[in-house]
Amino acid sequence: MALPRSNHSSGRQASLALVAALVLIVIWGINFSLQKFVFNVVGPGGFLFARYLIMPLCAVLLLAWRFGRHFPRITRREFWQLAQLGVVGHFLHVGMVTYGIHWSTAFSSSLILACGPIFTLLILRIMGLERLHKAQIAGVAVAFVGVLIFLSDKLVGGNWRATGGDLFLLVAASLFSYYTVAAKPLIERHGGVVTMSYATLFGSVPVVLFTLSAGLSAPWGSVSLAVWASLIWSVTVSAFLGWLVWGWVNSVRGVARTAPLMYLMPPVAGLVAWLFAGEQYTGIKLAGAGLTLAGVALAQFTSRGAREAPAPVD
């Protein structure tokens, strides 16, 4: 018996959204090692400088495609709110993520950033927007123990550079959680495209100014085609188009069904780093990673409602 056309169409769209989400998870997992490859040539500062010359252009082109010459107007209050989002989400979050990845490893970076939902829960609790249930508190505790186990080899071995990178990433994850909560009212009023594009434009200014020296001193004249291709791919496909696709996937599949896919990203990042970057993992590190992801999943998916899971800004 043939299904009604509307049901068949929605089922086909849902299947397409699942495929797109899985492809995006692979792209994001690969991107950790890809960025470290670029950092080795132009440095994290040079990468950020180039990224935030390209990102504003992408944002303007997207707004022009969506709205033509007349971009949506915002109030003075919304201007400052979007400027704050730009500073927190791009200057602070992406800046700290970039240097954290540079100092740490691809697998560690992906795992630490996967702890973002934990910070979202804590921020909602601090702001009085939600209570934490026993299972959520247990999930936070399990994830915290998992992170300590995961980092134990670095701490015992005195690898302070990598440990500092991981701590940078933890702070960056908390900043993105704040960004997620703070952006929600603006997204509800103006939509994701307008909010994210304006925040990108405002946030690009301090990033470019901060990385100007590093960007101008980077050896751009001797950069290979492979490095250029990796940089362009990382900025335009993984970062900019990535959050657009992820937003569409959430709208089709729903946040509750899509959010768990984010926990596939650390295994993908770890596998890619092991195959192509020579990263090695001990049993203790893998156990800590598994415990961390289990704790995050427990904390996020035992609440009354599904937690919002936006794409990472980075």
Side-chain angles (χ1 to χ4, degrees):
M1 183 177 178
L3 293 173
R5 181 172 297 181
S6 59
N7 290 344
H8 177 72
S9 177
S10 60
R12 185 175 180 180
Q13 191 177 46
S15 298
L16 181 61
L18 176 59
V19 172
L22 292 174
V23 170
L24 194 54
I25 291 297
V26 172
I27 290 173
W28 283 340
I30 293 173
N31 195 52
F32 288 94
S33 294
L34 203 64
Q35 287 189 71
K36 289 186 73 68
F37 170 64
V38 177
F39 298 164
N40 289 334
V41 179
V42 300
F47 173 84
L48 280 171
F49 178 76
R51 171 174 176 157
Y52 280 96
L53 292 180
I54 298 171
M55 289 280 282
L57 178 61
C58 293
V60 169
L61 290 175
L62 177 62
L63 288 170
W65 172 76
R66 185 76 177 269
F67 301 102
R69 296 181 182 179
H70 305 289
F71 291 1
R73 294 186 176 183
I74 56 175
T75 65
R76 181 178 298 180
R77 180 181 180 183
E78 289 171 338
F79 172 88
W80 290 112
Q81 289 174 331
L82 287 164
Q84 182 187 51
L85 284 180
V87 170
V88 173
H90 293 275
F91 178 62
L92 295 177
H93 168 72
V94 176
M96 295 185 76
V97 165
T98 300
Y99 279 94
I101 292 174
H102 177 60
W103 293 330
S104 186
T105 63
F107 187 35
S108 294
S109 302
S110 63
L111 179 73
I112 297 298
L113 291 176
C115 295
I118 292 292
F119 292 108
T120 303
L121 281 174
L122 295 176
I123 289 171
L124 290 172
R125 176 64 183 89
I126 291 171
M127 295 177 65
L129 299 176
E130 182 170 327
R131 293 183 177 180
L132 294 184
H133 307 296
K134 291 182 179 179
Q136 291 173 304
I137 295 172
V140 171
V142 169
F144 181 71
V145 171
V147 169
L148 288 179
I149 293 174
F150 184 82
L151 300 179
S152 61
D153 61 335
K154 297 177 183 178
L155 294 171
V156 173
N159 191 347
W160 302 117
R161 173 183 161 124
T163 302
D166 290 334
L167 294 177
F168 238 53
L169 290 163
L170 272 175
V171 175
S174 69
L175 288 171
F176 184 67
S177 294
Y178 170 79
Y179 174 94
T180 301
V181 175
K184 189 173 182 180
L186 288 166
I187 292 174
E188 290 174 347
R189 285 199 298 271
H190 296 287
V193 169
V194 173
T195 301
M196 301 299 181
S197 295
Y198 280 172
T200 298
L201 291 173
F202 294 140
S204 297
V205 175
V207 177
V208 170
L209 292 176
F210 181 78
T211 60
L212 183 61
S213 177
L216 294 178
S217 61
W220 299 111
S222 60
V223 170
S224 68
L225 181 61
V227 173
W228 276 115
S230 299
L231 190 153
I232 298 297
W233 175 274
S234 179
V235 174
T236 59
V237 176
S238 180
F240 193 80
L241 293 179
W243 62 256
L244 288 177
V245 173
W246 191 256
W248 173 75
V249 169
N250 275 328
S251 68
V252 173
R253 289 174 46 82
V255 173
R257 295 178 63 200
T258 303
L261 297 176
M262 289 296 294
Y263 301 110
L264 295 175
M265 190 167 63
V268 171
L271 179 61
V272 171
W274 176 67
L275 288 173
F276 299 103
E279 288 191 16
Q280 301 293 322
Y281 314 120
T282 63
I284 291 293
K285 185 173 285 290
L286 292 175
L291 195 62
T292 300
L293 292 178
V296 173
L298 177 64
Q300 184 175 10
F301 299 111
T302 53
S303 58
R304 294 176 182 175
R307 201 73 51 213
E308 187 169 354
V313 172
D314 55 297

